[in-house]
Amino acid sequence: MTPVARIIDSGLAPQGGAWLVDRFGRSIDYLRISVTDRCDLRCTYCLPKGFKGNQEPRQWLDFDELERLVGAFARLGVRRVRLTGGEPLLRRDLPALAARIKALPGIEDLSLSTNGTQLAQHAATLRRAGVDRLNISLDSLDRACNAGITGRDAFDAVMRGIDAARGQGFSPIKLNMVAMGGVNEHEIESMVEFAFTRGLILRLIEAMPMGDTGRSVRHVDLGPVRERLVARYGLVPEVLELGGGPARYWRTADGVGRIGFITAMSQHFCASCNRVRLTVDGTLHTCLGQEHSFAFRPLLRSGAGSDEIEDAVRRAVELKPERHEFIEAPTRIVRFMSQTGG
């Protein structure tokens, strides 16, 4: 049974059958929400050193506004929500927001992306709030290299966070590694072994030219890396759906180990893109590699009704472009990754 058929069969089809479909026939069922643009790390590909241009809290959408907006997306067919940042666990009372979103009719999957530094103290509360899955950023197993990438030595805190997440039964737990030429590409096999022995899914990511920070990183073409890992570990294509995101997954023959490849540069996945991103101030970005956006905060704070918000969601999705142009126009995107949400 297809995902659409399952939803119809469950009685959770959007009201009036009003699926969110963009101009290019792609169904949009995945919303990523940046709950803060603040982070306690300064990863070289994400946030400029010394940056002080964060949004003021009064500009953030509050929990009531977020619940109203996510509810509108859910009524129109969005089934997956991911909480991101910055570092989302820096947002006060985040588990309470997670519980409110998970309780919305139609939301089937709630996940969270984190750098792991705060995870040990929040893992149990997040699990009770209904968070299903976690993505944890970990770009290096070498303490000095990790500190060079992130701006400080937080390695032990991240390791404690990973252990706490495993102990709480999150499934799956994915490790996100941005492969950077001359920085950490030599550690890929070590990261594979680390993930496999702990029951984690490793996702290798090509760096994208998001702002000056992203353009400062030499991206690694993951095609040859995939060929190397397929040969070494006897990987075969994964047939199971593992989260609805952009990664293409491979697994070991015994199913014990899995590796995902996110190849935004070498082999883009725009034709199947099913997601949009909401920033902390209520701006919806419909593509990482284009400037198309829609501001929801003025609408939410003007007393707009549910029908008006749903109509705005439809209009926002209509702005989604056919594809990014990271290769053709690498300097187009001025905003950096932490401003958009992971």
Side-chain angles (χ1 to χ4, degrees):
M1 184 180 291
T2 67
V4 169
R6 282 199 300 271
I7 294 170
I8 293 173
D9 186 61
S10 70
L12 292 176
Q15 296 176 7
W19 297 101
L20 276 179
V21 179
D22 71 9
R23 293 173 295 156
F24 304 98
R26 296 170 296 197
S27 294
I28 308 303
D29 64 359
Y30 189 1
L31 175 65
R32 301 171 67 102
I33 303 170
S34 175
V35 296
T36 179
D37 58 355
R38 287 162 168 74
C39 190
D40 53 350
L41 300 180
R42 289 291 184 273
C43 293
T44 53
Y45 52 80
C46 186
L47 192 62
K49 291 182 179 180
F51 177 73
K52 299 184 184 299
N54 295 108
Q55 300 273 11
E56 294 297 324
R58 59 184 172 78
Q59 298 172 312
W60 300 355
L61 295 189
D62 62 31
F63 287 4
D64 290 339
E65 291 166 336
L66 283 168
E67 185 177 9
R68 286 187 69 206
L69 186 53
V70 177
F73 273 94
R75 290 190 296 274
L76 294 172
V78 164
R79 297 289 169 249
R80 306 174 188 272
V81 172
R82 175 173 294 277
L83 303 176
T84 72
E87 170 46 49
L89 293 178
L90 296 181
R91 180 78 184 251
R92 184 176 299 176
D93 297 325
L94 182 71
L97 174 64
R100 290 170 68 168
I101 290 176
K102 189 60 180 290
L104 289 170
I107 299 301
E108 298 178 340
D109 180 74
L110 179 64
S111 55
L112 177 122
S113 291
T114 175
N115 63 28
T117 61
Q118 311 293 316
L119 186 54
Q121 66 193 80
H122 294 293
T125 308
L126 289 169
R127 190 68 175 139
R128 289 195 297 270
V131 175
D132 301 297
R133 302 181 293 110
L134 295 175
N135 285 10
I136 303 172
S137 294
L138 182 63
D139 294 316
S140 175
L141 295 171
D142 179 271
R143 183 184 297 272
C145 181
N146 192 278
I149 295 169
T150 64
R152 71 181 182 91
D153 183 3
F155 187 78
D156 291 339
V158 175
M159 292 298 108
R160 289 193 296 271
I162 291 172
D163 289 342
R166 294 175 64 209
Q168 290 299 320
F170 288 97
S171 180
I173 300 172
K174 301 175 183 177
L175 294 184
N176 286 349
M177 178 185 186
V178 177
M180 293 171 276
V183 178
N184 66 348
E185 60 181 323
H186 63 286
E187 289 191 67
I188 289 175
E189 277 81 358
S190 297
M191 192 71 79
V192 171
E193 299 290 344
F194 178 87
F196 282 6
T197 58
R198 290 162 178 78
L200 311 174
I201 297 175
L202 176 64
R203 303 202 314 168
L204 299 173
I205 303 171
E206 291 179 349
M208 291 170 278
M210 297 284 294
D212 291 338
T213 51
R215 286 187 285 274
S216 69
V217 174
R218 179 161 63 88
H219 97 272
V220 175
D221 184 338
L222 291 180
V225 173
R226 181 177 59 245
E227 293 177 4
R228 187 175 81 228
L229 297 180
V230 166
R232 176 166 180 171
Y233 295 100
L235 302 177
V236 296
E238 175 60 83
V239 296
L240 298 177
E241 194 278 321
L242 295 174
R248 297 179 175 95
Y249 290 96
W250 293 68
R251 62 173 176 82
T252 55
D254 59 8
V256 172
R258 289 179 172 85
I259 305 174
F261 299 87
I262 299 180
T263 54
M265 302 297 290
S266 65
Q267 187 182 6
H268 72 77
F269 33 81
C270 300
S272 60
C273 185
N274 63 341
R275 68 206 67 91
V276 289
R277 291 170 169 83
L278 185 72
T279 63
V280 68
D281 68 350
T283 301
L284 191 80
H285 289 277
T286 58
C287 176
L288 275 179
Q290 300 284 5
E291 295 290 1
H292 304 69
S293 64
F294 188 98
F296 278 98
R297 187 179 64 194
L299 187 66
L300 290 165
R301 295 188 177 177
S302 67
S306 296
D307 290 345
E308 190 175 353
I309 294 173
E310 289 177 22
D311 181 63
V313 169
R314 294 188 188 94
R315 287 186 283 120
V317 167
E318 282 292 303
L319 299 174
K320 190 172 177 65
E322 185 173 14
R323 61 181 297 264
H324 69 66
E325 295 178 324
F326 284 140
I327 300 296
E328 299 89 340
T331 62
R332 171 172 296 166
I333 303 303
V334 177
R335 68 181 189 277
F336 39 88
M337 183 63 81
S338 68
Q339 292 177 308
T340 309

